[in-house]
Amino acid sequence: MEASRHGRAPKRKDDRIIIHFDYDCFYASVFEAENPALKSLPLAVQQKHIIVTCNYEARRRGLHKLQLISEAKKLCPDVVIVLGEDLTRFRNASRQLYNFIRQFSWNNKIERLGFDEVFLDVTDIIRYNVELLNANDLTNSFFCLSQNDPTLGFPYNAAELAGHAYPASTACRTIADSNELDNLLLRLHLGSHLAQHLRAQLEEHKGYTATVGISTSKLLSKLVGNLNKPNGQTTLSPPYETSEGTTGNATAFIDGHEIGKIPGIGFKLAQRLREHILQRAAAIGSGLVYGGTKENVTVRDVRTHPTVNPEMLERLLGGPGSPHGIGVKVWQLIHAVDHSKVGQAREVPSQISIEDSYIRLDTMEEVLRELRMLAKSLIKRMHLDLLEENDDDAGTPPAAEHSKECVSLGRRRWIAHPKTLRLSTRPRPPLNSDGTRARSFNRISRSAPLPSFIFSLSESVDALTERLVSEALLPMFRKLHPERSGWDLSLVNVAVTNMADAAGDSKTATGRDISNMFRNQAEVLKEWRVEDRPVPPDVSTSVLNGDTDMPAPIRSTDGRKGSEDLLVPSQESRTGLERGEWDSDDGAEEQVSVLTCEVCGAIMPAFAMLAHQRFHELGD
Ligand code: TTP
Ligand code: MG
C-alpha cells in the first residue's frame, strides 16, 4: 500500500457484512406514503423559505434540496409544496421503518443515523446462509431468513451479485469466474441478495424505496450506497486488500472522495487537513450547504502525502476537544478501515425533550399556554416512544406486522419509566443602553421527580396535560422565575429524563436491561464518534452554561409557533455541521448548529443561513 511508505497501513478486518439504508427523498416520501396521489406530482417539502427535499418528479424538473422556494416556483410553477416544519410525522415514519427492518435482524445490531438512514449488521445471517449453500449448485440457492423456520426465505442465485457493484465492471462477476472461492465475494453476494429482498419488502409493506450500500464496515457501506440513487443498491467488490502492484478496491474507492465527505471527518478536521495539504488557507464554498468548500482535496491526496502518518495526524488534529486517538482514527478512515460497530437496537431514548423558541415570551398567560402545548407534546411523545403492545408478538413475520398506531392505549404497557421531569428556560438578556442585545445561549433549569399519574393509560392526554402543568410545571416555573414579570424568555424546554433506572419495572425486563443497554450504546457510539469540538454541556445540570459554538437546539424562529419544527440535518448538512458526525439514533435531532442572522436577528440552522442571506439580498 502506498501509504506504508509514510506509516504502517492499518490492519483490515473484513469479517462483517453491513447493509446501509438511505431512504429516498425521505421527507417527501413520508408525505407520499400518507397520500399516494402525490407520487406522480412534483412535490417539495418546505421549511422556512427553503426546500429541504423534493421527490424525484420535482428533481426531474430541475428542483433540488436546499433550494429557495421562490427559485423552485419559477422553475416549476406547478410544484406542490407541503410544510415540513412539524417533525412528528418524520420521526414516526422513521421509527416505523426502523422497527420493520429490525424484524429481519437476528443479532439486533441495527442502528439509526438521523431519521433516514439505518445500518444493519447481517454478519450472522450471512454466515448461516453460507453454511447452507450447495457449492455445486449455487444458482438454485434458498436464502433462509429464520433459524427456526427453514421455509421462511426466498430463492436466489448465489453465484451472481444482485444490483450494482463498485467497480461497475465487477457486477457480473460470478463465483465460478473467481479463481478461488473467495469467501468475501461469496458473503457479499449473499449480502446483496438479502439487501435486495429487504428493499423489496420495504417497498411492498411500507411504500418506501431506499438506496442501499453493502460492504464490510459502516464507512464503506454508507459511502458505496451513494453510487446508485435512487432506489438502487451497490456492493463494494473484493479484493479490498491492496497487494503487490494492485490497489485494493476499498482504497481505490475511498481515494476519490473529497476529504470532507468522509463520515467522521467534520468540517473543521477537513479544513485543517486541506490546509495542510494545500499549504495555504482552504477557501470556503458559497453553496447552500454549510461547510462546503471550494477546494477539492481528496482522500488520496491526504493518504499519499509524504508528511502524513498517524502521529502527524494526531498533532495536526488533536488538542482540546478532540478525542484521544484522533490521529489513528483518521489514519484508518483514509485507508478505508473502520472497525466501529453497528449499535445494538435500543428500546428507548435516553430522554425525551420538547422545546420551542420565541421572539417574545414575557407574560404568565403566555407561559401557561406554552407549557400546556409543550406538556401535551411531551406526553404524546412518551406514548409513542415508551409504550409497546401488551401482546407478545415476538417472532411475528414482517408481512403480518401491524402498526403500533392501531393498538389502543389500553393494550399498551410502559417499557420505561422516566424518573425526572426537567423544565428549562432561556431568559433573554436585557437590552443594552444602545438598544442592542447580547447574544445568549444560557439556559437555566429545574428538575423534580416525575409525578406518577403521568403513566396513567386511562386518563386522556388533555387531562394529563392539565395536571402536569398545574401540579408540576407551573410550580417549577415559579421557582425558576420567582418574579411575576420582568423576564422575557427566548426558549422553553420540558423533558423527561433518568430513564435508565426503570427497566426492571417492565414485565419483559429480562433481556432488556435498559441501563446496560445505555452503557453499551455509549460504548458503541464512543467508538464511532469523531468530534473535533468540545462536547456540549450536560443538559441535566441545573444551570447550563451557554456555548456559542454549540448553541441550544432551536426549533422555531418565528415567534409563538407550537409545532415541533427543529430542522434535522441530513447527510449533506451533517457532513458540514460541527458535531459528532456519526451521532446516531434519537439524539440526532437534538443537536443542530445554529446561527443568528446579522440583518434580522433570526436564528436558524447553519445550513440554512446562506439561503437566508440571499433572501435579504433579494430585498426580503
Ligand atoms: P437526505 O438524505 O440528504 O435527502 P433525501 O432523503 O430527502 O434525498 P435523497 O434521495 O437524495 O437521499 O436528507 C434526509 C431528510 O432530511 C430529507 O428528506 C429532508 C431532511 N433535510 C433537512 O432537514 N435539512 C437539510 O439540510 C437536508 C439536506 C435535508
Ligand atoms: Mg435520504
Side-chain angles (χ1 to χ4, degrees), residues 28-46:
S29 302
V30 174
F31 284 101
E32 288 178 351
E34 282 173 16
N35 177 5
L38 291 171
K39 283 192 178 179
S40 55
L41 305 172
L43 175 72
V45 182
Q46 174 176 6

Side-chain angles (χ1 to χ4, degrees), residues 23 25-27 53 56 59 65-66 116 229 568 570-571:
Y23 310 129
C25 336
F26 182 55
Y27 284 12
T53 195
Y56 276 86
R59 293 186 198 194
K65 293 188 265 190
L66 302 185
D116 81 324
K229 290 177 94 163
V568 172
S570 67
Q571 267 166 294

